[in-house]
């Protein structure tokens, strides 16, 4: 990097004996390097910081990271980082890194983190944090440990006439547009092929819905017809306008047509992320 800079400028700097030597990277003021880094995305800044101690020092400047943080980062840092007053004592780079680390709350049933590239807030809600009809009756549901879930377990539906899953959350999402998904699979976690135990999902669609505290509502209907593969079923997109007021979201998944049984569904979580 330093040799490229010296060739590009053709300039030289004096040495103690009066001779001039080519400029190297360390001759640049740290503030100049920081101004260059400020135009890059966070992953690129971190990659450059690993290549040189000069870039490493320059990459710690607060003015690089503060524009990349959500506008309500002080609230998020106070809520998610390990101790009170973290936004006062930590540098903006450390706050950014801390928010990018997944944090569990609500008894480990919800997980939130900041996307490293876009700076948006993402959230997962485990099935354990939802109200599910018949979930404690082993005739209908089983709780299966698996590494295919970030929560290390899924709920598996053996059979049921009335499927109803409801959940809610409240969080200070930064202003923006978000998407909400249910993560589901037809078949057990260990199965990747069609199973005779899967039936009832191609007769009528499953209805997915969400409600926001500001009155916004969305609904979508999906037939579940892909076996053996985890899929995210899109519920809808919603808008958060105020970063400093908690947004309350209710969501549901229902198939309450009692003319036929439903069986063979694995339920993992609800996923919320900035709309791509």
């Amino acid at each position: 990097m330093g040799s490229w800079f010296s060739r590009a400028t053709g300039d030289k700097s004096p040495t103690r004996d009066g001779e001039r030597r080519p400029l190297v990277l360390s001759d640049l003021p740290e503030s100049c390097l920081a101004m260059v880094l400020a135009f890059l995305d966070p992953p690129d800044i971190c990659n450059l910081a690993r290549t040189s101690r000069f870039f490493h020092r320059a990459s710690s400047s607060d003015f690089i990271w503060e524009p990349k943080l959500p506008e309500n980062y002080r609230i998020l840092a106070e809520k998610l980082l390990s101790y009170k007053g973290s936004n006062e004592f930590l540098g903006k780079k450390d706050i950014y890194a801390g928010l990018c680390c997944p944090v569990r709350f609500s008894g480990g049933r919800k997980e939130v983190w900041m996307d490293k590239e876009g700076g948006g807030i993402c959230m997962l809600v485990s099935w354990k944090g939802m109200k599910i009809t018949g979930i404690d009756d082993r005739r209908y549901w089983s709780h299966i440990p698996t590494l295919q879930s970030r929560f290390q377990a899924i709920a598996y539906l053996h059979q049921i006439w009335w499927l109803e899953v409801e959940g809610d959350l409240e969080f200070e999402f930064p202003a923006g547009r978000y998407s909400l998904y249910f993560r589901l699979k037809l078949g057990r976690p260990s199965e990747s092929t069609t199973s005779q135990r899967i039936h009832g999902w191609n007769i009528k669609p499953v209805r997915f819905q969400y409600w926001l505290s500001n009155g916004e509502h969305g609904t979508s209907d999906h037939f579940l017809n892909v076996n053996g593969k985890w899929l995210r079923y899109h519920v809808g997109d919603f808008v958060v306008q105020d970063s400093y007021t908690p947004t309350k979201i209710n969501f549901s998944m229902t198939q309450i047509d009692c003319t036929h049984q439903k069986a063979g569904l694995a339920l993992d979580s609800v996923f919320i992320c900035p709309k791509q």
Side-chain angles (χ1 to χ4, degrees):
M1 185 74 178
S3 61
W4 175 86
F5 181 82
S6 63
R7 290 197 305 271
T9 60
D11 199 1
K12 297 182 178 182
S13 59
T15 59
R16 292 181 179 178
D17 56 8
E19 296 181 0
R20 302 184 69 84
R21 62 171 176 79
L23 284 173
V24 294
L25 192 62
S26 59
D27 293 322
L28 285 176
E30 188 175 296
S31 58
C32 291
L33 291 177
M35 291 178 67
V36 173
L37 295 177
F39 288 97
L40 302 180
D41 292 329
D44 296 327
I45 297 173
C46 294
N47 288 336
L48 274 175
R50 297 188 187 101
T51 65
S52 161
R53 66 178 182 275
F54 306 110
F55 276 126
H56 180 75
R57 287 201 300 264
S59 70
S60 298
S61 298
D62 279 350
F63 80 85
I64 295 177
W65 294 98
E66 187 158 12
K68 304 180 188 304
L69 287 164
E71 63 175 334
N72 63 344
Y73 73 87
R74 291 182 175 86
I75 294 176
L76 298 177
E78 199 76 22
K79 189 182 188 83
L80 300 176
L81 300 188
S82 58
Y83 56 90
K84 296 291 184 181
S86 54
N87 61 75
E88 299 176 6
F89 300 106
L90 293 178
K92 301 301 185 291
K93 179 181 179 181
D94 295 323
I95 293 176
Y96 194 99
L99 293 178
C100 287
C101 296
V103 175
R104 296 276 175 93
F105 64 103
S106 292
R109 297 171 179 176
K110 296 181 176 71
E111 183 174 278
V112 64
W113 69 96
M114 187 171 69
D115 178 64
K116 293 180 180 179
E117 296 190 5
I121 293 297
C122 302
M123 182 176 292
L124 279 175
V125 182
S126 168
W127 62 271
K128 296 179 181 178
M130 305 178 198
K131 180 182 177 182
I132 304 172
T133 301
I135 189 62
D136 295 321
D137 192 328
R138 292 299 185 264
R139 294 175 299 173
Y140 304 127
W141 293 91
S142 290
H143 309 168
I144 301 178
T146 175
L147 295 178
Q148 295 180 19
S149 169
R150 288 177 69 143
F151 296 98
Q152 291 79 51
I154 60 95
Y156 179 74
L157 175 65
H158 297 291
Q159 63 178 7
I160 205 165
W161 293 93
W162 181 287
L163 174 68
E164 191 169 21
V165 179
E166 298 176 343
D168 64 81
L169 61 91
E170 189 171 11
F171 194 77
E172 293 86 349
F173 286 95
R177 192 170 182 84
Y178 293 83
S179 298
L180 190 149
Y181 302 87
F182 270 84
R183 186 173 186 256
L184 309 170
K185 176 184 176 181
L186 290 182
R188 289 177 174 271
S190 58
E191 295 175 342
S192 58
T193 58
T194 302
S195 171
Q196 294 181 351
R197 293 186 293 270
I198 301 171
H199 59 80
W201 305 108
N202 57 353
I203 300 175
K204 288 193 176 181
V206 175
R207 170 150 293 184
F208 300 90
Q209 298 186 80
Y210 75 85
W211 299 263
L212 261 64
S213 49
N214 63 6
E216 185 178 345
H217 170 249
T219 182
S220 62
D221 295 333
H222 295 277
F223 284 98
L224 310 187
N225 49 24
V226 178
N227 294 354
K229 183 178 181 181
W230 285 105
L231 295 176
R232 288 176 179 167
Y233 290 88
H234 185 220
V235 181
D237 301 325
F238 61 90
V239 176
V240 174
Q241 297 180 340
D242 186 357
S243 303
Y244 298 93
T245 300
T247 299
K248 185 173 183 178
I249 308 170
N250 293 80
F251 48 84
S252 71
M253 175 179 74
T254 56
Q255 218 298 8
I256 54 177
D257 182 352
C258 294
T259 60
H260 62 281
Q261 283 192 332
K262 281 74 69 174
L265 178 68
L267 167 62
D268 177 33
S269 59
V270 160
F271 178 53
I272 298 175
C273 64
K275 180 174 173 59
Q276 300 299 318

